Amino acid sequence: MKKFSGVSLPQLTEEIVRNARKTRLDAFAVALEGWRRGLKLKWYTKDTPHFDDMIVFGVNPPGRLFSLSSEKRTHFFFRTRGDKVSNEAVEIGSEKGDTKIWLDKAGVPIPQGKGFPAEATDEEIIEYSRTLDYPLVFKPTNASLGNGVVTNLRDEAEFRDAVNYVRHELGYEEVIVEQHVSGKEYRLYVVEDKVIAVYNRIPANITGDGKHTIEELIELKNYERRQNARLNSCLIHTDQEITEFITEQGHSFDSVLEKGKQLMLREKTNVSSGGDPIDVTDEIPDNIKQIAIDAVKAIPGLHHAGVDIIVNEDPAIKQPAVVLEINPTAQIGGALFPLRGKARNIPAAIIDYYFPETKGIDTSDSKIYFDMTTVLEPLEDRTAIEVEVAPAPMGKLHAKRYVVIGDVQRHHYHRWLKKQALDRNLNGHVKNMVFDEIEIIIAGTDKKEVDGFRQILKQYPQGSKVAKIEEEVWEEPVTVGFEITERYNTSTLRAAQYSLRKMNQELARLTKQKNRINKDISHVFNSTSWKFSTPIRKVGEIVKGKK
């Protein structure tokens, strides 16, 4: 099976973001950038008073509320949105009808249409739809992730069905009717007067190779998505919508697509439902980017946001593009981890805006990070409502890996090593390997201290005996602080409880990994190419046996 490598910023690899998923990923990326620049970082629960005057939602479990501080200022953040964005801007952005009013007033191109309040009758809405040309779009004013959005309605019968579905089956009473604009949809992320990233959101899709069935191609696509730090939690699930979509196009899950043929699996472009984020920042013309910049400026108190645009392909519509909506709390994973193209550094642009005194600090080579699971534990245990992350070491990081052999797997020796490392402002970990070996990672900005730690390893006075030390330069990411990662520490009740949680987490991770591997193996064995190659493999086995 072809090996895919996910696209990412060099300082934001899969290992670094492993414990920050979905909307936590957005918060982590911005917080990490500021922390690496030397800013003080604190994380909070919803019980803190610091966010009483800021609109937030979905903040449990913790990992979405944080603050960054320099000597000059402190700013509070909810995911990607900082406190410079006004609550009014958030409220306007959350109501698509209000957004359209403000954009229209500022001359920003939008699809022709109108919003309706909850008390509007179905007949009022249907009557208004007759003033627009089909196809139409019908959608809730305040839903997210594409929920309830019905597009490309071609006649009044389809429109009536959509009204019943959205208002009565889904329960979204406040709605918008607007013209369907045909064209490619893009998410642009704007900070002040600059577009930082643009990606094309393509609905869930597969491309034929002339060998695999549609079902197999979906599994192959999911295998590729699993290698991407943003998309590994947004796989393509073969639900009723996809089944009907494939059937309407004259196919079944057993159909084999011809080589190069692309098959759409949904109409919605949302990444969360299997859509592909494709970076096109360098390809989008400036006049389209300016529309997104003007859209952000049109909303009072909005300084940075995600702007969804359709670049028009309908010659009957004069505008080059129209703005669909604005998201003041936009997810940025699609720009940080696109399926194709180049990763864009939105976190750096956000920190530049809030902390201009840190501009020029380049973190692209940084290997130091903090582990979200460890940092947030006191918040999740409800033993604290805020935690401060240990400061990031500033300057070039030097790191060594030591494998120590001997009578060295005693916990008291590891505690002593931790004290020695922290006393010297060094970071890393110690963990048991096999039999009589331990691995020690030591990293810091003082090269002499890192190199000199080899001698420290032999100086423990109470029984541990070092027989041999192997040494090499370490170039992988390193967590701040010093961690003892022995399998289980049950010396106290609290330690035992923590170890139990770790065991359960590890069991869940390994079970998930095992299921994925089994699924991949099953896919290979059941694939058309494997079946076709059976006679060849049998001949190979006979030839090999004769040798």
Side-chain angles (χ1 to χ4, degrees):
M1 185 176 290
K2 181 180 177 182
K3 174 65 176 176
F4 295 98
S5 179
V7 180
S8 72
L9 295 168
Q11 70 271 37
L12 213 59
T13 62
E14 162 66 23
E15 179 180 348
I16 290 172
V17 304
R18 182 177 294 127
N19 291 327
R21 296 304 190 199
K22 298 183 179 180
T23 54
R24 267 187 179 179
L25 174 60
D26 303 321
F28 177 75
V30 176
L32 182 67
E33 174 67 23
W35 176 78
R36 281 172 165 170
R37 294 191 190 189
L39 300 175
K40 181 191 294 184
L41 170 62
K42 289 184 178 181
W43 293 92
Y44 303 90
T45 70
K46 65 182 182 65
D47 301 312
T48 181
H50 293 299
F51 293 86
D52 286 349
D53 298 324
M54 189 173 179
I55 294 176
V56 299
F57 45 85
V59 295
N60 273 335
R64 296 157 184 85
L65 303 176
F66 63 96
S67 69
L68 290 165
S69 304
S70 68
E71 293 182 357
K72 296 182 178 180
R73 69 195 92 229
T74 293
H75 287 294
F76 294 90
F77 293 83
F78 168 53
R79 288 164 40 184
T80 57
R81 169 168 44 93
D83 54 16
K84 284 190 175 185
V85 176
S86 70
N87 283 340
E88 181 186 11
V90 178
E91 290 169 346
I92 292 171
S94 67
E95 296 288 339
K96 296 178 179 66
D98 292 345
T99 303
K100 287 173 68 71
I101 293 171
W102 281 94
L103 295 180
D104 190 38
K105 188 164 58 175
V108 177
I110 56 174
Q112 185 181 354
K114 181 181 177 181
F116 290 87
E119 56 268 21
T121 66
D122 291 354
E123 284 306 315
E124 284 179 68
I125 296 169
I126 293 167
E127 184 65 30
Y128 173 76
S129 74
R130 294 170 181 151
T131 68
L132 303 175
D133 294 328
Y134 283 97
L136 298 179
V137 174
F138 189 68
K139 60 186 179 182
T141 62
N142 56 4
S144 60
L145 301 177
N147 293 327
V149 178
V150 186
T151 63
N152 201 23
L153 298 167
R154 291 163 289 191
D155 53 42
E156 186 168 311
E158 289 187 359
F159 186 79
R160 284 180 176 274
D161 288 342
V163 171
N164 182 65
Y165 171 67
V166 174
R167 299 197 90 199
H168 303 296
E169 290 186 32
L170 298 183
Y172 294 114
E173 296 183 333
E174 294 184 21
V175 293
I176 291 176
V177 183
E178 63 187 21
Q179 278 186 310
H180 176 89
V181 180
S182 60
K184 290 183 178 179
E185 183 178 335
Y186 299 90
R187 162 66 61 87
L188 295 84
Y189 197 88
V190 177
V191 179
E192 288 194 287
D193 57 356
K194 186 176 180 181
V195 172
I196 308 302
V198 186
Y199 60 93
N200 180 206
R201 299 192 298 187
I202 302 175
N205 67 91
I206 52 175
T207 301
D209 60 4
K211 299 177 182 179
H212 294 92
T213 66
I214 288 176
E215 184 175 19
E216 291 168 345
L217 290 172
I218 291 173
E219 283 302 312
L220 285 170
K221 188 64 173 284
N222 279 336
Y223 176 79
E224 182 180 5
R225 293 175 77 86
R226 287 189 189 106
Q227 316 311 311
N228 183 292
R230 167 68 178 97
L231 305 180
N232 57 18
S233 59
C234 304
L235 302 182
I236 301 172
H237 299 289
T238 51
D239 53 18
Q240 186 64 30
E241 180 186 0
I242 285 182
T243 302
E244 292 176 357
F245 215 74
I246 291 172
T247 303
E248 288 173 2
Q249 297 176 80
H251 299 290
S252 72
F253 285 110
D254 294 327
S255 301
V256 176
L257 294 182
E258 62 186 78
K259 187 174 182 179
K261 180 178 179 179
Q262 187 180 53
L263 180 71
M264 295 297 170
L265 304 174
R266 298 187 193 276
E267 193 163 14
K268 295 176 185 176
T269 62
N270 301 79
V271 171
S272 59
S273 61
D276 293 344
I278 309 296
D279 170 62
V280 291
T281 307
D282 298 330
E283 301 167 24
I284 294 297
D286 289 342
N287 66 323
I288 303 298
K289 292 179 179 177
Q290 190 60 49
I291 290 173
I293 294 169
D294 293 342
V296 171
K297 288 182 177 179
I299 309 300
L302 185 64
H303 307 286
H304 57 99
V307 182
D308 291 342
I309 282 181
I310 286 185
V311 175
N312 179 39
E313 293 178 354
D314 186 348
I317 300 176
K318 296 179 180 179
Q319 298 289 358
V322 294
V323 175
L324 298 180
E325 61 180 280
I326 295 177
N327 193 333
T329 322
Q331 291 193 21
I332 60 174
L336 296 177
F337 303 97
L339 195 68
R340 303 279 187 277
K342 181 181 177 182
R344 305 292 171 169
N345 202 344
I346 294 175
I350 293 174
I351 298 301
D352 283 349
Y353 173 62
Y354 281 88
F355 296 94
E357 65 270 28
T358 69
K359 277 186 178 181
I361 299 178
D362 183 9
T363 68
S364 59
D365 291 330
S366 181
K367 293 287 196 284
I368 195 75
Y369 71 106
F370 58 88
D371 179 67
M372 278 283 271
T373 301
T374 303
V375 166
L376 297 179
E377 185 186 356
L379 304 184
E380 294 188 337
D381 286 351
R382 299 182 178 275
T383 56
I385 62 172
E386 67 177 61
V387 292
E388 182 176 336
V389 181
M394 303 300 291
K396 180 177 173 58
L397 197 70
H398 305 276
K400 288 285 184 71
R401 175 178 182 262
Y402 297 103
V403 174
V404 183
I405 303 168
D407 183 12
V408 291
Q409 291 197 341
R410 301 181 183 185
H411 187 63
H412 54 75
Y413 177 50
H414 299 178
R415 291 201 306 270
W416 180 81
L417 288 174
K418 178 176 182 177
K419 182 178 186 307
Q420 300 306 309
L422 296 180
D423 286 348
R424 292 163 174 77
N425 294 317
L426 297 174
N427 307 276
H429 70 246
V430 55
K431 69 177 181 180
N432 288 333
M433 297 174 68
V434 295
F435 305 117
D436 56 353
E437 296 182 10
I438 59 173
E439 175 190 75
I440 301 168
I441 304 298
I442 287 293
T445 55
D446 189 329
K447 189 174 185 301
K448 287 185 177 179
E449 290 286 7
V450 173
D451 293 340
F453 205 79
R454 181 185 180 112
Q455 298 304 315
I456 301 295
L457 299 173
K458 305 175 183 178
Q459 295 176 9
Y460 185 64
Q462 298 178 23
S464 289
K465 184 176 181 181
V466 174
K468 183 181 178 182
I469 300 175
E470 298 174 358
E471 173 185 336
E472 63 180 350
V473 174
W474 182 254
E475 296 181 347
E476 300 302 313
V478 179
T479 53
V480 70
F482 193 90
E483 188 173 335
I484 300 174
T485 56
E486 290 177 293
R487 299 303 292 173
Y488 313 116
N489 174 18
T490 57
S491 56
T492 66
L493 177 60
R494 184 172 177 80
Q497 291 171 336
Y498 179 76
S499 294
L500 181 60
R501 282 199 303 274
K502 284 288 188 182
M503 283 189 283
N504 288 332
Q505 290 170 0
E506 182 72 1
L507 177 61
R509 184 187 70 80
L510 291 174
T511 301
K512 192 173 183 180
Q513 187 179 47
K514 173 178 171 289
N515 291 339
R516 283 181 178 176
I517 292 171
N518 286 340
K519 201 169 185 180
D520 289 338
I521 292 171
S522 175
H523 159 73
V524 171
F525 285 148
N526 293 320
S527 68
T528 305
S529 56
W530 181 266
K531 292 172 184 175
F532 283 165
S533 65
T534 299
I536 299 172
R537 285 184 282 105
K538 285 183 177 178
V539 170
E541 289 170 3
I542 292 170
V543 172
K544 186 177 179 182
K546 288 181 178 180
K547 288 181 179 179

